[in-house]
Amino acid sequence: MLKKSIIEKVLQKSLSNGADFSELFFEDTQNATIQMLDSKIIQSVNGKDHGAGIRVFYGNKAIYAFTNDVSEQGLLKAAKAVSGVEQGDSETKILDLSDSQNKSNNIFLIPFSAVQAEEKVELLHRIDSSSRKYSPYISQVNITYLEKVQNIVIANSEGMHTKDQRSYARVYVSSIAYKDGQMQTGNESPGALKGYEFFKELKAEEIGIMASERAVKMLLADYAPSGKFPVIIGNGFGGVIFHEACGHPLETTAVAKGASVFANKLNQKIANTCVTAIDDGTMPNYWGSSTIDDEGNPTQKTILIENGILKSYMVDKLGGLKIGMPTTGSGRRQSYKFAPTSRMRNTYIDKGNDSFEDMISSIDFGLYAKKMGGGSVQPGTGDFNFTVGEGYLIENGKITKPVRGATLIGNGKDILKKISMISDDLEFAEGMCGSQSGSIPTCVGQPTIKVDEIVVGGRKVK
């Protein structure tokens, strides 16, 4: 790790052209992946990220540079580069760097380095075997094992000097079912902010079966109808629609530019009264959690929407300066190669009081989207389309049969007002979120919800 005396020199050099603020982010990360395809290990890669990023502010303008030369000379060279881009008139002095002790909710029990590679490979074979045994229709199984340990140090001209360690564990399973020229894919990808104990606790065989079951069920299903009708969106990964269509527009990265449909809407009603939405970085050992954010601030539980009223945005330091709000501990980045921006952590719609059975019985004709797939969103407008990974037809208040090929098409702002029922079965799902500051771990989550009307793309007419 870096000596304080060197950090102070680098921060001072960064301020030398009249900047208002300077920050240093140092990172040392070890990661490893193992990939199995068709029951064979096809790739095993170990990597290391080691470097530092330096950021300065001139008013609301940020300048950023990074280097993998973390010697004193290398860091001073990077500091000179960022300071020379702009000319300011501030005479900012560096406050004494004092160590910040942040209590962590995240406990790591088993270091990845304490486990032999053979045990990790055996885990993948167990998943592969259960996936293949589920059905003769399973033609391919692809599994990826991931482990990552990130150590960071953050210091700035306001006297901050803090550090954090993050340990990530995840496995990704993709089963492909094939019949008569048709293919369907089922995925499962659990993860956590944990050490190797995550894999010890993992019900490996069940993960493989779940992925294959979904692929086979959709392979044998009829095509979904198209039209406008009520849709029940399943818990867990169903929250990806809120994440993409509503969560990103609530980040100050979009709000400060006026590029969000939710800009200037604080304390206004933007959703049905039953909707409360939260972004929480403090949940112990969740995939999107951390003790501090990538600007060194403690993470928080941020109420975004409460009973339909917009209460807060997700705020990083620069975004906060632009819109006049304090940080919510939401500054995040993929690595030292990226400047931080406001990003989501574990983002979810909170529990309601409705039962799943009441939701189903309230619909004469509609769709139950039990598991969502991928999709896309227009950032400025919130217009989205998402595939349904596992869907069922609802007829006369009952789930009748599985259907495939459905797509949900809508607008995030409009959908928030059409959520009429929310159950209490809140669950989360892990994913990687891509945006300006790179790809970062996030959780999406929600209970099962009912949307009164949404456009469903399918191959059949209702």
Side-chain angles (χ1 to χ4, degrees), residues 126-373:
R126 285 164 52 205
I127 298 172
D128 179 78
S129 177
S130 65
S131 303
R132 293 179 177 281
K133 285 179 180 175
Y134 177 77
S135 167
Y137 291 126
I138 298 300
S139 61
Q140 187 178 91
V141 178
N142 192 346
I143 309 168
T144 301
Y145 166 99
L146 166 72
E147 63 180 45
K148 174 179 172 180
V149 177
Q150 181 188 43
N151 289 287
I152 61 169
V153 175
I154 304 170
N156 67 34
S157 55
E158 296 173 346
M160 173 185 286
H161 182 260
T162 189
K163 61 184 179 180
D164 193 19
Q165 183 181 76
R166 301 151 182 177
S167 178
Y168 295 98
R170 194 182 189 202
V171 65
Y172 182 89
V173 184
S174 175
S175 295
I176 296 177
Y178 177 85
K179 178 179 182 248
D180 300 332
Q182 299 286 317
M183 287 194 303
Q184 290 290 318
T185 302
N187 301 314
E188 289 293 329
S189 51
L193 187 70
K194 286 187 173 182
Y196 194 79
E197 66 273 15
F198 167 77
F199 296 110
K200 294 274 191 185
E201 298 161 358
L202 188 71
K203 296 178 180 177
E205 287 79 5
E206 289 186 16
I207 297 298
I209 291 171
M210 288 166 65
S212 292
E213 181 182 29
R214 182 167 301 115
V216 172
K217 194 171 285 184
M218 290 299 98
L219 180 71
L220 303 177
D222 195 3
Y223 285 109
S226 61
K228 282 186 178 180
F229 38 79
V231 173
I232 291 175
I233 302 176
N235 60 355
F237 196 65
V240 69
I241 295 180
F242 181 84
H243 172 103
E244 296 290 354
C246 304
H248 282 298
L250 291 173
E251 297 167 339
T252 50
T253 308
V255 173
K257 296 176 183 173
S260 165
V261 292
F262 301 119
N264 303 312
K265 299 277 187 175
L266 280 178
N267 299 314
Q268 295 183 30
K269 186 168 184 177
I270 63 167
N272 197 325
T273 305
C274 63
V275 177
T276 291
I278 296 166
D279 181 65
D280 190 351
T282 69
M283 302 167 73
N285 293 107
Y286 273 60
W287 178 246
S289 295
S290 58
T291 303
I292 57 174
D293 71 356
D294 291 325
E295 295 179 321
N297 300 299
T299 53
Q300 301 177 14
K301 179 178 182 178
T302 307
I303 308 291
L304 301 171
I305 302 169
E306 187 172 34
N307 301 325
I309 307 296
L310 179 60
K311 291 294 184 181
S312 180
Y313 302 116
M314 287 165 278
V315 186
D316 64 317
K317 187 174 183 64
L318 183 63
L321 287 174
K322 291 178 177 177
I323 66 171
M325 289 181 66
T327 175
T328 55
S330 303
R332 302 189 68 190
R333 63 181 110 194
Q334 177 179 330
S335 73
Y336 70 92
K337 298 175 183 176
F338 295 83
T341 59
S342 58
R343 302 291 296 273
M344 284 172 272
R345 300 161 298 200
N346 306 300
T347 312
Y348 61 98
I349 294 175
D350 205 3
K351 296 176 183 176
N353 298 316
D354 298 298
S355 72
F356 177 75
E357 292 75 17
D358 287 345
M359 288 186 191
I360 298 295
S361 63
S362 71
I363 295 175
D364 291 331
F365 185 89
L367 181 74
Y368 171 37
K370 183 177 181 179
K371 176 89 172 183
M372 295 304 303

Side-chain angles (χ1 to χ4, degrees), residues 4-14 72 76:
K4 277 188 183 179
S5 59
I6 295 176
I7 293 173
E8 287 172 345
K9 286 181 183 177
V10 173
L11 293 175
Q12 190 62 60
K13 185 67 178 178
S14 305
E72 180 175 347
L76 287 171

Side-chain angles (χ1 to χ4, degrees), residues 55 179 341 401 443 458:
R55 183 172 64 154
K179 178 179 182 248
T341 59
K401 63 179 181 180
C443 274

